[in-house]
Every structure is written in structure tokens, then in C-alpha cells.
């Protein structure tokens, strides 16, 4: 198991998810001209940087500056990209909530490593380490430790990467509620995988699967197994279809029509991501049939989710 794996799981809250989207989508940005040039239809990169600096919300500023840095890097403006990343790091440090601050700093560090700004990345990772000490919740601490570990591994510091993953594993094991412990342990397994520690990844994954099977609530068990199956698929594990089948079996046991439908859409989304379109269509069709049994006043979000997955399959 040696391929790079990123973005397998959603963040624990919406603010964290925004940061993930902020730095993970940079490689998809359009080509722009070098050094203060402009895109084909928009303002110059210098103007975009200045606009980003005017944003008052520090979390929104981080996301925009990471976007601008990606454009500058693509355009060959290394100096401009490094300036934008430095500004993003300062903005991230102004975020009050320590979990969100650590997450934003992790995003900056990830880009600094990618842009070969190793000295700056090490400084940012030190700020991440200091910030993580302020986080009280293990649920919020674990994903930040994992992200930090991956950046250390990419910097060539395998010892630090492993040490922080072991800390994340210890914190994850102390989470009391089973479904949240499963989520945290899955993140740790993915972290070990991304840091090219396959034996540790498989060990934690085995524990995660066993634990997920004990979740009493059918909806929570289905969702947890769906995430595990999707992660295994991205790891090219032959166990992925087995776990996704287990997730479907759990979904079939859900009594509430709306809850069952959402579980089926979640599974349909995973199958669509695996390009198993026939399986995805069957799941979405079943969810749509259930939506007809739910009051129209509460089924709108469900129908929207179904349509979004269908559009991805086109």
C-alpha cells in the first residue's frame, strides 16, 4: 500500500471541511500568466492577492490566499506564491478556535511542503504542534495530528510522522462513543497509509472494522462501514466490496424511511466514486422510492442529494 491518499473522510465540522476544500482543490485551478499577470477573464494575480488581504474573516482569508497561491505557483510566480502562503499562515494564526486554527495551519503547511518551502513548512508545523496542545477534544485533535504527520513524512522526517500518528492513535482509542472512536481510528489508519506504514495501517484498520461492527444503531453502523469501505477502495484493498456490502446490510435494517434513504444515498455516492454505476443507480433508485413515502416537507434535502449523485454519474 504505497499510493498517496488524501481526502478520504469529511472533516468533523463544516468549518474544517471548508479548509480541506480550500487546499485540496488548488491543483484544479486554471492556468494564469506569470508575475502579476491576469487570468483570461479575471483580475491580475496581484489584484487577487490584495483582494484576499482585505477579507476580515481569518478563516475565509486563509482559503482565498491558498487559492491565490495555487494560481501563482501554476503561473510560475514562486515569489508571489510564497508571499501568499506566508500571509495565509499569519491569517491562520488569528483564528480563535484552536482546532480550526490547527486545521488551517495544517493546510498552509501542506501547500508549503508541496511548493518546496521546507523551512517555512517546518515553522508552520511548529505552530500546529503548539496549537494542538490547546485542543481539549480528542475528536478534534486526531485529524490535526494525522495531517501534521503526513506533512512531516513528506518533509522526510519519518520519525516525527510516526510519533505523531502514535499519539493520534492513543487519543483516538480514548474516545468514549463508539462511532466517533471508529471515525478517529479510521483517520489514523489512513494517516499510517499515507505515511507509507502499511503494517500499522492494516493493524488499525482491522481494529476499526471490528469496532464498527459493534455499533448498535443501524444508521450509524451503515455510515461508518461505508466510510471504511470507501477508504479501503482508495487503498486498493480487496476487502472494500465486502465492507460496502456490510454497510448495505446495515442500511437495510433501518426502520425509518428517511434515515434509510439517506444511508442508501451515502452508499450510492461511494459506489459512484468507485465507478460502480450499476450498483450506485440501484441504491439511488431505492432511496428515491423511499422518498415517496416521506412527507414532502422534509424530503427536499434527500431529493437534492440523490440528484447530486446522479449528476456526478453523467
Amino acid at each position: 500500500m504505497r499510493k498517496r491518499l488524501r481526502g478520504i473522510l469529511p472533516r468533523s465540522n463544516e468549518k474544517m471541511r471548508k479548509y480541506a476544500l480550500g487546499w485540496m482543490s488548488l491543483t484544479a485551478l486554471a492556468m494564469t500568466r506569470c508575475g502579476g499577470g491576469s487570468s483570461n477573464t479575471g483580475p491580475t494575480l496581484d489584484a487577487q492577492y490584495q483582494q484576499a488581504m482585505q477579507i476580515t474573516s481569518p478563516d475565509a482569508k486563509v482559503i482565498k490566499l491558498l487559492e491565490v497561491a495555487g494560481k501563482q505557483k501554476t503561473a510560475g510566480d514562486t515569489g508571489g506564491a510564497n508571499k501568499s502562503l506566508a500571509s495565509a499562515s499569519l491569517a491562520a494564526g488569528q483564528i480563535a478556535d484552536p482546532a480550526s486554527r490547527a486545521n488551517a495551519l495544517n493546510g498552509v503547511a501542506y501547500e508549503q511542503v508541496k511548493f518546496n518551502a521546507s523551512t517555512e513548512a517546518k515553522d508552520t508545523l511548529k505552530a500546529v504542534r503548539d496549537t494542538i496542545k490547546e485542543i481539549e477534544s480528542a475528536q478534534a485533535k486526531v485529524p490535526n495530528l494525522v495531517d501534521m504527520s503526513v506533512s512531516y513524512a513528506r518533509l522526510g522526517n519519518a520519525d516525527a510522522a510516526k510519533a505523531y500518528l502514535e499519539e493520534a492513535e492513543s487519543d483516538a482509542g480514548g474516545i468514549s462513543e463508539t462511532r466517533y472512536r471508529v471515525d478517529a481510528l479510521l483517520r489514523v489508519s489512513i494517516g499510517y497509509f499515507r505515511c507509507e506504514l502499511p503494517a500499522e495501517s492494516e493493524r488499525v484498520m482491522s481494529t476499526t472494522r471490528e469496532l464498527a461492527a459493534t455499533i448498535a444503531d443501524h444508521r450509524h453502523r451503515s455510515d461508518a462501514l461505508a466510510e471504511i469501505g470507501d477508504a479501503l477502495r482508495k487503498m486498493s484493498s480487496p476487502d472494500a466490496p465486502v465492507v460496502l456490502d456490510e454497510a448495505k446490510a446495515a442500511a437495510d435494517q433501518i426502520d425509518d424511511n428517511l434515515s434509510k434513504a439517506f444511508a442508501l444515498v451515502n452508499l450510492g455516492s461511494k459506489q459512484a466514486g468507485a465507478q460502480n454505476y450499476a450498483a450506485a443507480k440501484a441504491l439511488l433508485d431505492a432511496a428515491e422510492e423511499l422518498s415517496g413515502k416521506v412527507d414532502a416537507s422534509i424530503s427536499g434535502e434527500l431529493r437534492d442529494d440523490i440528484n447530486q449523485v446522479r449528476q456526478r454519474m453523467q
Side-chain angles (χ1 to χ4, degrees), residues 111-260:
E111 292 306 312
Q112 288 171 328
V113 174
K114 190 169 72 175
F115 293 176
N116 296 316
S118 58
T119 299
E120 293 81 357
K122 290 174 183 176
D123 290 341
T124 304
L125 289 170
K126 181 180 184 303
V128 175
R129 294 200 308 272
D130 292 341
T131 303
I132 286 175
K133 295 175 184 177
E134 301 177 36
I135 301 173
E136 296 181 0
S137 165
Q139 285 178 249
K141 189 180 292 186
V142 167
N144 279 299
L145 284 166
V146 170
D147 285 349
M148 183 174 64
S149 299
V150 173
S151 288
Y152 272 116
R154 295 173 72 230
L155 285 170
N157 192 338
D159 290 341
K162 186 175 182 182
Y164 287 120
L165 283 170
E166 289 172 346
E167 181 180 346
E169 183 179 350
S170 176
D171 285 340
I175 296 173
S176 59
E177 188 166 348
T178 303
R179 61 172 169 147
Y180 296 130
R181 186 157 76 253
V182 166
D183 175 82
L185 286 170
L186 179 56
R187 292 175 189 275
V188 173
S189 175
I190 292 166
Y192 277 127
F193 179 88
R194 291 168 59 196
C195 292
E196 299 188 354
L197 295 166
E200 289 84 350
S201 177
E202 291 169 4
R203 172 181 57 76
V204 177
M205 181 64 78
S206 177
T207 299
T208 304
R209 288 179 62 180
E210 292 173 2
L211 194 60
T214 70
I215 298 174
D217 182 272
H218 300 313
R219 170 68 186 280
H220 294 160
R221 186 168 72 257
S222 176
D223 287 348
L225 289 168
E227 296 299 339
I228 294 170
D230 195 49
L232 287 168
R233 174 185 68 79
K234 293 176 181 178
M235 293 176 175
S236 300
S237 170
D239 291 341
V242 175
V243 177
L244 289 174
D245 285 345
E246 292 171 355
K248 172 62 164 57
D252 288 340
Q253 297 179 64
I254 299 171
D255 292 326
D256 180 78
N257 286 329
L258 184 63
S259 183
K260 178 184 287 189

Side-chain angles (χ1 to χ4, degrees), residues 69-87:
K71 291 179 180 180
Q72 290 168 321
K73 181 65 173 179
T74 299
D77 183 7
T78 302
N82 288 336
K83 179 181 177 181
S84 294
L85 289 176
S87 297

